[in-house]
Amino acid sequence: MKKMGLLVAGLFSATTVLGQKKAIFLDSLGQRTTYELHWAQVVGGRYRTVYDRKTHLRTLVRTSPAEFAKELAATDARIRRRDRLGTSFPTFALTDLAGQPVSSADLAGRVIVINFWFAGCTPCEMERPELNALRQHYATDERVRFLSFAASSPEQLRGFLADHPVLYDVVPLPKPEVERQFGVSNFPVNVVLDRAGRYVFNSVGTGVGIGQLLRREIDGALARP
């Protein structure tokens, strides 16, 4: 078997991943699974993916701490954006999928974690288990608020979320509005804002260890006054 390294730029882009659907994906127990669930295990950092060109099998192999650290550093270098750091996030007054108001004014003084995605986005689906685990980690911490800005219609989201739960508070937004108001045109995007509403983390794309990267930034923002 030949290892396909995760350091290749754009590995988690929708185009690249969709091109791998012909492969047969196995889970950590060697049972057949979906490509989303297979790659979700890789994104979590517990496994690396190995591809056999003869059988078209993609299997999972446990990663060592050193391998994970290397992949985490590569993910950080590839997806992190620095151009907005320290600047204020756009103010917003929106309504979530449950019909409740969500505004930057009401969230002032909290650390805000935002995920931009849309239903049908393959890389978004790969990181979903890690983001849900992150939300659960801070479930009792009222200083942190998790928002999911979804560039899909409410109807699309209700159908999608019935089978693919998202633990963030989901806010539906048309794609043109997401780009106009927040400058987001590529997905997924993960943002962490400090208590003053300023960017402390901004990323485009996903990769190994995204949950750990976000947790590191959240904890750092919480530690500052």
Side-chain angles (χ1 to χ4, degrees), residues 63-150:
T63 58
S64 68
E67 287 174 324
F68 175 68
K70 183 178 180 180
E71 298 287 20
L72 181 65
T75 294
D76 193 9
R78 178 169 53 81
I79 71 174
R80 186 186 291 265
R81 300 294 179 264
R82 303 184 183 278
D83 55 308
R84 299 182 184 179
L85 297 184
T87 66
S88 295
F89 190 77
T91 58
F92 58 89
L94 304 167
T95 302
D96 69 17
L97 195 59
Q100 298 301 309
V102 179
S103 73
S104 49
D106 291 339
L107 297 176
R110 295 185 183 182
V111 172
I112 305 175
V113 186
I114 304 174
N115 175 240
F116 290 90
W117 65 288
F118 65 90
C121 166
T122 299
C124 305
E125 179 67 8
M126 291 175 182
E127 69 176 9
R128 181 177 57 84
E130 284 298 294
L131 300 189
N132 282 343
L134 184 74
R135 174 65 182 88
Q136 289 178 314
H137 178 78
Y138 294 96
T140 61
D141 196 333
E142 296 182 355
R143 299 172 299 167
V144 189
R145 183 69 178 270
F146 292 81
L147 300 177
S148 172
F149 287 176

Side-chain angles (χ1 to χ4, degrees), residues 17-25 32 51 55-56:
V17 175
L18 287 173
Q20 299 172 24
K21 282 189 173 181
K22 293 181 180 180
I24 299 170
F25 294 87
R32 190 161 182 166
Y51 181 57
T55 62
H56 298 293

